[in-house]
Amino acid sequence: MAPEENNNPNPAGKMEQFPEELKAKAREFFKRGEEVAYAQNFDYAIELYLDGLSFWPEAVEEGHNPLRNISLRRNASGGKSSGLADGSKYKKSSGKHPKDALLKAEYLLSKDPGNVSHMQGVIKGAADSGYKETTLWMGAILFDAIRQKDKPSFKTIVFLCDAHSQVEAYSKALQICQYALTIKPNDTAMQDRMRDLSAQATLERGNYDGDSDFRDSIKDRDEQDRLHASDNLVKTEDALADSMARAQAEYEENPTIPGKVLQLCYRSGEYGKERTTRI
């Protein structure tokens, strides 16, 4: 059985970690859902996957993706969207807390996989819960859906940009913002936002969005410089060893030729020492 509704809600914006025991419980539901879906009992499979996601809502590869595939298979086989007679606990959920809102929206989306409003509901619930991976997963689906429309909704694009910024996915938010400006190139608010997101995305990529991170970034760079210098030193020493080996071989072939002895002394750094007296 899934956890009770509103149990242990996660504050908005907090990135939650899920212990292995919760993931194990979730996988039990996912496995059962996969078996039920194989028998084409899609509605029950949807419930089972959502039960699993209630334990582990960031399970994109093991939970959200398979659930989305089941939804599409159900739709292709003639499955209808959720109606008034639908008594699912997920549909009847108040959605008061972000995670509950996420599961409710994903349930409704599973019954109507092309519904943009339900996609937004999933993204909002995920972003408000701090579920970054889930936000990115459904965000990519919604972004593709937007770009396929002849007249994309600018309001929906702004919403999508907001959601990615909320979970600190600034590079993706910048990409969405840039797309928004292809639709409304003279939107000054979006132009300002693009400048802000460009700076945030640069910090995100550079991994120094705070004093500690900045020091870590500098430390990493210094370490890379040290390794590079060390690598060059190794290469130099290897080259010197090769040169000395060649000189030694030439000397042993012609030990009486002064030039060969001198060459060996220069390459070995021994010129001026006792070995040069053999010339």
Side-chain angles (χ1 to χ4, degrees):
M1 178 180 293
E4 293 182 5
E5 182 180 333
N6 300 340
N7 182 41
N8 192 26
N10 186 46
K14 180 181 178 181
M15 302 301 175
E16 186 173 352
Q17 301 296 319
F18 301 94
E20 286 302 319
E21 54 266 30
L22 290 184
K23 292 181 179 180
K25 289 180 181 179
R27 289 186 176 111
E28 291 177 7
F29 284 102
F30 297 156
K31 182 179 179 181
R32 180 59 179 151
E34 182 182 12
E35 294 169 352
V36 169
Y38 183 77
Q40 298 189 1
N41 190 346
F42 299 127
D43 289 338
Y44 186 30
I46 288 170
E47 295 273 347
L48 287 167
Y49 267 97
L50 287 169
D51 286 347
L53 287 167
S54 66
F55 286 106
W56 184 16
E58 278 276 68
V60 171
E61 293 302 322
E62 296 183 54
H64 292 296
N65 263 337
L67 175 56
R68 178 71 176 169
N69 290 335
I70 290 168
S71 170
L72 294 172
R73 288 167 58 195
R74 178 185 180 276
N75 185 67
S77 67
K80 304 299 181 182
S81 59
S82 178
L84 295 175
D86 189 341
S88 169
K89 62 180 179 289
Y90 292 106
K91 182 179 180 180
K92 293 190 294 183
S93 168
S94 66
K96 181 179 179 181
H97 290 271
K99 188 180 82 170
D100 301 326
L102 161 65
L103 296 174
K104 181 174 183 175
E106 192 159 1
Y107 173 80
L108 295 173
L109 181 64
S110 296
K111 298 298 182 76
D112 188 7
N115 190 302
V116 169
S117 178
H118 296 331
M119 291 181 190
Q120 288 182 262
V122 172
I123 293 169
K124 178 171 173 45
D128 287 348
S129 299
Y131 302 152
K132 184 173 183 177
E133 296 304 316
T134 302
T135 302
L136 291 171
W137 167 74
M138 183 51 66
I141 293 173
L142 177 56
F143 194 33
D144 285 343
I146 290 171
R147 289 182 293 181
Q148 290 174 16
K149 293 183 177 294
D150 293 333
K151 294 182 178 180
S153 167
F154 191 77
K155 183 178 180 180
T156 303
I157 298 169
V158 172
F159 160 82
L160 197 55
C161 186
D162 290 342
H164 284 80
S165 296
Q166 186 176 346
V167 296
E168 300 181 356
Y170 298 119
S171 296
K172 187 63 179 179
L174 176 61
Q175 180 186 350
I176 296 166
C177 181
Q178 290 168 336
Y179 176 73
L181 286 170
T182 66
I183 298 172
K184 288 189 176 183
N186 297 321
D187 190 293
T188 55
M190 193 58 71
Q191 290 172 351
D192 291 340
R193 183 160 195 185
M194 187 178 73
R195 284 191 290 270
D196 292 339
L197 285 171
S198 295
Q200 290 170 313
T202 299
L203 292 174
E204 181 184 32
R205 289 191 295 268
N207 190 32
Y208 50 83
D209 54 350
D211 291 340
S212 175
D213 288 339
F214 179 76
R215 288 193 295 271
D216 290 342
S217 179
I218 295 300
K219 181 179 178 182
D220 290 343
R221 189 176 66 187
D222 289 344
E223 178 67 10
Q224 290 299 318
D225 290 343
R226 186 189 68 78
L227 292 173
H228 181 68
S230 176
D231 183 57
N232 285 340
L233 179 60
V234 170
K235 290 178 180 178
T236 301
E237 291 178 345
D238 287 345
L240 178 60
D242 289 342
S243 178
M244 289 181 62
R246 288 195 302 271
Q248 182 68 37
E250 291 172 1
Y251 166 71
E252 290 176 355
E253 289 179 4
N254 301 280
T256 60
I257 299 178
K260 299 297 183 181
V261 181
L262 184 60
Q263 186 178 52
L264 175 60
C265 292
Y266 271 123
R267 290 183 179 179
S268 64
E270 296 296 322
Y271 184 65
K273 295 185 181 180
E274 182 177 356
R275 190 181 304 177
T276 61
T277 61
R278 297 180 59 184
I279 300 177

